Amino acid sequence: MGNSSAPPKQFLSDKVGFFTESVIRDMTRQAALYGAVNLAQGFPDFPAPAEIKLAAQEAIAEDVNQYAITWGSKNLRNAIARHMWECQGISVDPETQITVCCGSTEAMISILLATCNQGDEVVIFEPFYENYGPDSILSGAKPRFVKLRPPSTEDGEWTFDARELRAAFHSQTKAIIVNTPNNPTGKVFTRAELELIRDLCVEFNVLAITDEIYQHILYDGTQHISIATLDGMRERTVTISGMSKTFSVTGWRVGWTVAPPATTNAIRKVHDFLTVGAPAPLQEAGAVALAMPASYYLSLAEGYRKRRDRLMPALTEAGFRCFHPRGAYYVMTDISGFGFVDDVEFTKYLVKEIGVAAVPGSSFYRDPKNGARQVRFAFCKKDETLDAAATRLRKLRK
Ligand SMILES: Cc1ncc(COP(=O)(O)O)c(C=O)c1O
């Protein structure tokens, strides 16, 4: 018999006290609640390519319905290796260097669990994709943030201070997370910036974990560079990518890691016990998707360029200051002109009174104060959706 006067037992780990639920995904629920146009979460509201949907249907009909090999179907691993070679000139052994996961989300946590010990530090640029903070905590690592500073002009680039980055590296640093093209800023890291990161990784013997999920979504002539292609980085890089953004199938949950064999072995062990494997028929469709011609990727980027150029003037007209994205499908904005207390109050007003859901900037920063003047909009939406948002946003002017 328990002691009835004892306080009710809390069956919670300490870890979960250190982070909140995803603000991005909560905004999607709020959009549904208030009937708002959802420019919060980064998922397309237009159809995925017909040929890959057909490939998934065929795989199910052909009974590819049991567990795939835990680290990924051979067809998909071969296709990923071919894609890495064609896009980046990186040659990869599909047998020993690729792990297919349930999205790049699972890829990131599997990598961190496979590489970090308690007390290790992971350098993260902020603002950051919100999963990286909790991922570090769950893996026992301590996130160490380095600021990306917004441009001072409409057309400028987000930058970091090389001295601040260097100061973040020391003997406890295990890894740095690089996300290029970047969510939420739209920054595409330049070769010079990646070389600077490379030099620090080599000097301090640090692993680069690079989230390249938006690798094909680039604007204004920018070029995507995988840090693994830089001299000295192949042996100390884990590259993450996936199907979600490139093929407009965020619900399929297929992503992957590319890493040297010893790191891959460790990632595969974690992945196996976390999820066993990604959906088998969708992996087969992934192999078909990755065989699409180069023209597919060009029209993907051009489609997003048009959407960006449709939404940005509407945001500017409504009173936002936009930071011009060079890649990915988000616009970070400055909301100082509206006179709200902070980003959270503003996005609440936006979703309830104006009918548009966006993501408060603070969710991309460790200290909410740093994002209190910023709000992120996703433009991976149909023209009608963007136009409906623009019409509603005009009300902000009144
Ligand atoms: C930078 C970044 N990484 C990873 C993800 C999640 O990707 P996946 O659907 O492959 O888990 C997102 C989704 O928004 C993202 O923006």
Side-chain angles (χ1 to χ4, degrees):
M1 285 283 284
N3 176 353
S4 58
S5 63
K9 193 167 178 178
Q10 293 291 315
F11 299 105
L12 306 177
S13 81
D14 293 340
K15 284 189 195 115
V16 294
F18 292 117
F19 55 91
T20 64
E21 261 182 49
S22 157
V23 177
I24 299 177
R25 296 180 277 281
D26 180 50
M27 285 313 298
T28 287
R29 294 191 288 272
Q30 289 201 39
L33 185 66
Y34 295 110
V37 178
N38 187 358
L39 302 190
Q41 201 176 351
F43 61 85
D45 68 349
F46 46 82
E51 52 273 57
I52 73 165
K53 290 192 288 194
L54 190 63
Q57 287 160 9
E58 281 173 3
I60 291 173
E62 283 160 17
D63 246 322
V64 185
N65 292 314
Q66 310 309 327
Y67 302 122
I69 294 173
T70 181
W71 50 80
S73 91
K74 195 164 170 45
N75 284 340
L76 179 56
R77 280 180 291 116
N78 287 344
I80 294 165
R82 201 178 51 242
H83 186 252
M84 282 292 271
W85 174 249
E86 285 168 2
C87 297
Q88 296 296 331
I90 300 179
S91 96
V92 176
D93 177 2
E95 295 310 318
T96 60
Q97 298 181 24
I98 294 175
T99 311
V100 176
C101 296
C102 294
S104 29
T105 300
E106 193 233 325
M108 181 61 82
I109 186 75
S110 293
I111 294 163
L112 290 172
L113 287 168
T115 57
C116 288
N117 293 313
Q118 196 69 35
D120 284 347
E121 289 196 5
V122 176
V123 177
I124 301 176
F125 289 103
E126 78 168 350
F128 55 89
Y129 173 55
E130 61 171 2
N131 284 30
Y132 302 156
D135 283 351
S136 311
I137 294 165
L138 287 171
S139 66
K142 201 167 146 242
R144 177 140 183 164
F145 298 99
V146 171
K147 281 202 173 46
L148 288 177
R149 295 196 164 73
S152 50
T153 61
E154 286 279 293
D155 222 31
E157 311 298 334
W158 291 72
T159 50
F160 60 86
D161 179 338
R163 278 162 311 179
E164 193 185 329
L165 181 64
R166 166 166 271 281
F169 278 70
H170 57 101
S171 59
Q172 285 298 100
T173 312
K174 174 58 73 73
I176 178 167
I177 296 177
V178 181
N179 170 217
T180 184
N182 184 263
N183 172 13
T185 64
K187 176 181 175 61
V188 177
F189 282 70
T190 63
R191 181 173 293 279
E193 288 171 331
L194 293 172
E195 282 176 353
L196 211 136
I197 296 169
R198 183 267 317 270
D199 292 347
L200 290 167
C201 286
V202 172
E203 182 180 336
F204 289 87
N205 197 17
V206 161
L207 179 74
I209 304 170
T210 163
D211 180 344
E212 302 185 3
I213 184 116
Y214 298 102
Q215 69 185 98
H216 293 291
I217 304 177
L218 298 163
Y219 317 112
D220 310 327
T222 47
Q223 197 201 349
H224 171 66
I225 299 166
S226 279
I227 200 166
T229 60
L230 303 189
D231 281 351
M233 287 309 286
R234 273 306 290 279
E235 294 313 308
R236 55 175 68 258
T237 301
V238 187
T239 306
I240 299 176
S241 198
M243 293 187 68
S244 286
K245 313 292 176 174
T246 305
F247 300 108
S248 308
V249 287
T250 58
W252 281 19
R253 316 308 306 129
V254 179
W256 51 83
T257 70
V258 177
T263 318
T264 295
N265 268 342
I267 295 168
R268 285 178 175 183
K269 280 202 271 184
V270 175
H271 157 74
D272 190 4
F273 288 107
L274 272 183
T275 65
V276 179
L282 305 184
Q283 292 192 49
E284 294 311 317
V288 172
L290 288 171
M292 300 242 248
S295 57
Y296 171 79
Y297 301 103
L298 293 176
S299 66
L300 177 83
E302 178 56 11
Y304 279 125
R305 205 256 323 138
K306 286 188 182 144
R307 293 181 187 100
R308 178 194 68 172
D309 294 350
R310 197 174 191 102
L311 181 64
M312 278 182 53
L315 291 171
T316 307
E317 194 197 319
F320 295 87
R321 194 175 144 236
C322 296
F323 301 117
H324 212 94
R326 305 293 177 201
Y329 49 46
Y330 308 97
V331 192
M332 259 306 230
T333 63
D334 185 301
I335 56 163
S336 303
F338 296 105
F340 274 73
V341 200
D342 63 23
D343 60 320
V344 174
E345 283 309 305
F346 181 75
T347 47
K348 275 188 194 157
Y349 174 80
L350 207 60
V351 74
K352 280 193 204 160
E353 308 298 333
I354 302 292
V356 175
V359 180
S362 53
S363 66
F364 303 104
Y365 291 86
R366 174 197 34 181
D367 180 350
K369 278 203 300 295
N370 291 327
R373 311 249 60 86
Q374 292 172 358
V375 164
R376 188 200 77 175
F377 292 86
F379 55 83
C380 44
K381 307 292 171 183
K382 292 184 212 148
D383 285 354
E384 306 89 281
T385 311
L386 297 175
D387 291 348
T391 306
R392 292 174 180 207
L393 289 169
R394 257 179 235 126
K395 288 187 270 175
L396 278 170
R397 268 300 186 204
K398 294 191 185 133

